[in-house]
Amino acid sequence: MAYAHYQKGESSIQQTEKELFHSITKSHELYHTLMLLLLELKSFGEKRIEFRKQKNRPSEEDLNPNTRFVDNAFLIQLADNTELIAYNQKNGNPWVDHPEVVKSIFEVVIESQMYADYMALETSDYEADNKFIAKLIEKVIAPYEGLYTKFEEESVYWNDEIEFIISMVVKTVKGFDPENGDAEKLLPEFKDEEDKDFVQNLMRKTLVNRKDHVELIRKFTKNWDFERVAFMDIVLMQIAITEITEFKNIPINVSLNEYIEIAKFYSTNKSGLFINGVLDKVVEHLIEEKVIAKPTKA
């Protein structure tokens, strides 16, 4: 959001703050939309099985189908998840008006080698079912261009967030525990009020201290043509410096690692290495100047 604030040039901090929280809400909506997509694929598979059984001359395969996918233990657990059910009841199913998209994604799934290998397994358990869904999202669903087209039509806020949100969905899937049953927790919009305050303060202090932080970045990029450095890299380093200098309870290495990871999603392929190199020098300087005095490691 700091990036958008600088690009617009006319927005006040208050306007940017409002936009920030709206974009977070839309990202949380995208997260649930992807979680619900998994259930839509399961439902589509079930309907497909029933349709084939009702054919005038069903084959042996139609009458005795392979139900491994629709009986996937993780998907069954997800279908009963109380938080996802509550979200669906409150906000409605975002896929109900897009059956053609669900169908096209389902066809991509069943045509994949990953799906064929999974369906051919002689036996399976919860761990295998869970790993299959996580990999399916990463390797088959996420690369499907039709999914991005649908999301672009739904919300302008989803375009830049989708890769990051997909990674959060995969993280959620991998973190499911069968012992938790329908009470498994999904990712909240904010962990708590303190988390929300952190986001707000981080943005405000980044914008307020922009001039000083940009000068600091310039100082340690003397061997680079500053004007040719990716603007997103500069913005990410500004935010990182704000977090390092303003939030005393966050170890320095935690902040550095976080922004290196963020750069992988929002900037260039080489940004992580570049940002790491510059911020290492910045941190060393700030420690020498006694601007910061906190643990370097968690």
Side-chain angles (χ1 to χ4, degrees), residues 28 46 68 106 128 131 140 191 223 260 264 269:
H28 200 232
E46 291 168 340
R68 185 177 300 283
F106 183 83
K131 286 183 178 179
V140 179
K191 289 186 291 186
N223 295 329
I260 291 168
K264 294 178 182 179
N269 292 334

Side-chain angles (χ1 to χ4, degrees), residues 171-182:
K171 181 179 179 180
T172 299
V173 171
K174 290 180 177 179
F176 259 54
D177 185 337
E179 295 292 326
N180 294 332
D182 61 7

